[in-house]
Amino acid sequence: MAPSDETAQEDGPLFAEAKFPIGLPVRHRKFGFHGVIFDVDPEFDNSEEWYQSIPEEVRPRKDQPFYHLFAVNPQDESPYIAYVSEQNLEPSADDEGPFHPAVAEYFAGMEEGRFVLRTPLN
């Protein structure tokens, strides 16, 4: 028998609540690269092949928010898109960059420590 909506609410939320907002500059706790959040999945939403490619000893849980980042490689400042679990992120103290080129296209500027979207999300 499937649990009722009432039971699901008593047990807690169906999805994890995201800790970090869109537009926040962040840093990866283990690899040190910086990025800016541009989208959030309430729980893992990538391929199983991608997930299994992460070494088991550092593989994050799937039942947490995952963030899409405009990221920059710290060695050569090359831009890329990263997909990172919440447990591996922390707010970045460095809000000066370098930033992925898409940040300027996606965001209108910075206010109170985070980037502001150019156009509101639907």
Side-chain angles (χ1 to χ4, degrees):
M1 184 170 163
S4 68
D5 288 340
E6 198 172 288
T7 304
Q9 292 208 358
E10 288 173 8
D11 292 341
L14 295 176
F15 295 104
E17 191 171 312
K19 181 178 177 181
F20 305 121
I22 289 175
L24 185 70
V26 291
R27 185 181 79 78
H28 194 285
R29 290 177 187 271
K30 294 179 182 176
F31 302 122
F33 66 82
H34 291 258
V36 176
I37 297 169
F38 71 89
D39 196 12
V40 183
D41 294 333
E43 61 183 21
F44 180 80
D45 191 25
N46 205 334
S47 71
E48 188 61 25
E49 179 181 4
W50 181 90
Y51 187 73
Q52 294 300 324
S53 72
I54 301 169
E56 191 172 352
E57 62 275 6
V58 295
R59 193 176 298 150
R61 297 179 337 272
K62 289 183 175 181
D63 64 342
Q64 63 181 312
F66 275 73
Y67 297 82
H68 300 262
L69 309 178
F70 291 128
V72 175
N73 182 318
Q75 283 79 32
D76 63 5
E77 298 185 6
S78 59
Y80 65 102
I81 302 295
Y83 191 63
V84 184
S85 64
E86 187 169 270
Q87 74 187 58
N88 286 322
L89 290 178
E90 61 187 7
S92 175
D94 177 15
D95 60 358
E96 307 236 348
F99 290 115
H100 189 290
V103 169
E105 296 169 22
Y106 205 80
F107 298 100
M110 189 175 254
E111 289 180 13
E112 299 179 9
R114 68 182 245 212
F115 288 93
V116 179
L117 290 169
R118 283 199 176 278
T119 54
L121 298 175
N122 291 335

